């Protein structure tokens, strides 16, 4: 499955605080396993809640934000994935103007997700289900394809690629529970 911001229309949030590009999802028997999206966060306000699901939130542009509520405070800083329970009632306060975030929402009863960043050089992906999303530069995965900023793919198997100078690739690993 290829992922691209250019293949998804921006959907306005109900609270008017931003927009989301849904990039891809896996659904089985009508139930969400995981969803990947890229959000533009334009103003302070409540975060959407997803009871029964978990989230990984990675700021990919802008200075980030502070998420607070339910006795929790989470700092979402650029290029530092933050994992949290999707049921938390959180309010977002932008650090210094609008930002953009890559989001992974997943059902922890069916899959576990982890996120890490790869930079310039060779990257290798092991066997299993993975999502790769380019945040800067390019990644060349040989016969699988070449991907540039805000493009990527979901794959079920090993891959090796070269990340361009100054490149950053977000790697999401999904493991069955």
């Amino acid at each position: 499955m290829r992922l691209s911001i250019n293949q998804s229309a921006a959907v306005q949030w109900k609270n008017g605080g931003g927009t989301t590009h849904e990039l891809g999802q896996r659904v089985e028997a009508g139930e969400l396993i995981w969803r990947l999206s890229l959000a533009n966060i334009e103003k302070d306000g409540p975060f959407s809640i997803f009871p029964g699901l978990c989230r990984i939130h990675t700021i990919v542009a802008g200075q980030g934000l502070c998420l607070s509520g339910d006795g929790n405070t989470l700092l979402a800083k650029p290029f530092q994935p933050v994992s949290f329970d999707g049921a938390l009632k959180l309010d977002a306060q932008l650090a210094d103007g609008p930002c953009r975030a890559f989001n992974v929402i997943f059902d922890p009863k069916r899959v576990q997700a982890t996120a890490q960043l790869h930079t310039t050089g060779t990257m290798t992906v092991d066997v299993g289900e993975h999502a790769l999303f380019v945040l800067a530069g390019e990644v060349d995965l040989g016969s699988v394809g070449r991907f540039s900023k805000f493009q990527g793919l979901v794959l079920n198997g090993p891959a090796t690629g070269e990340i361009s100078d100054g490149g950053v690739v977000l790697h999401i690993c999904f493991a069955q529970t």
Side-chain angles (χ1 to χ4, degrees), residues 64-83:
L65 47 85
C66 177
L67 297 168
S68 60
D70 278 353
N72 296 283
T73 300
L74 305 168
L75 296 177
K77 297 179 180 182
F79 301 107
Q80 295 180 17
V82 176
S83 299

Side-chain angles (χ1 to χ4, degrees), residues 17-151:
T19 58
T20 296
H21 290 266
E22 187 172 308
L23 301 170
Q25 65 179 359
R26 182 157 64 96
V27 175
E28 290 179 1
E31 294 187 21
L32 179 73
I33 306 301
W34 54 256
R35 184 185 94 172
L36 308 173
S37 64
L38 195 61
N40 295 309
I41 306 167
E42 298 162 3
K43 61 183 181 180
D44 298 344
F47 239 46
S48 297
I49 59 171
F50 294 93
L53 302 175
C54 290
R55 296 178 73 156
I56 302 174
H57 184 78
T58 306
I59 300 296
V60 301
Q63 296 303 307
L65 47 85
C66 177
L67 297 168
S68 60
D70 278 353
N72 296 283
T73 300
L74 305 168
L75 296 177
K77 297 179 180 182
F79 301 107
Q80 295 180 17
V82 176
S83 299
F84 55 96
D85 185 332
L88 292 176
K89 293 179 183 174
L90 300 170
D91 286 310
Q93 183 175 8
L94 296 167
D96 188 22
C99 60
R100 181 174 268 174
F102 187 92
N103 289 291
V104 181
I105 298 170
F106 63 96
D107 182 346
K109 293 176 285 195
R110 304 177 121 213
V111 69
Q112 288 298 313
T114 57
Q116 65 180 0
L117 294 167
H118 297 274
T119 56
T120 303
T122 302
M123 76 172 287
T124 301
V125 176
D126 294 326
V127 174
E129 186 175 36
H130 303 269
L132 303 176
F133 197 71
V134 179
L135 304 178
E138 294 184 332
V139 64
D140 184 351
L141 297 172
S143 63
V144 176
R146 178 183 293 263
F147 303 88
S148 58
K149 187 174 182 179
F150 296 151
Q151 296 179 336

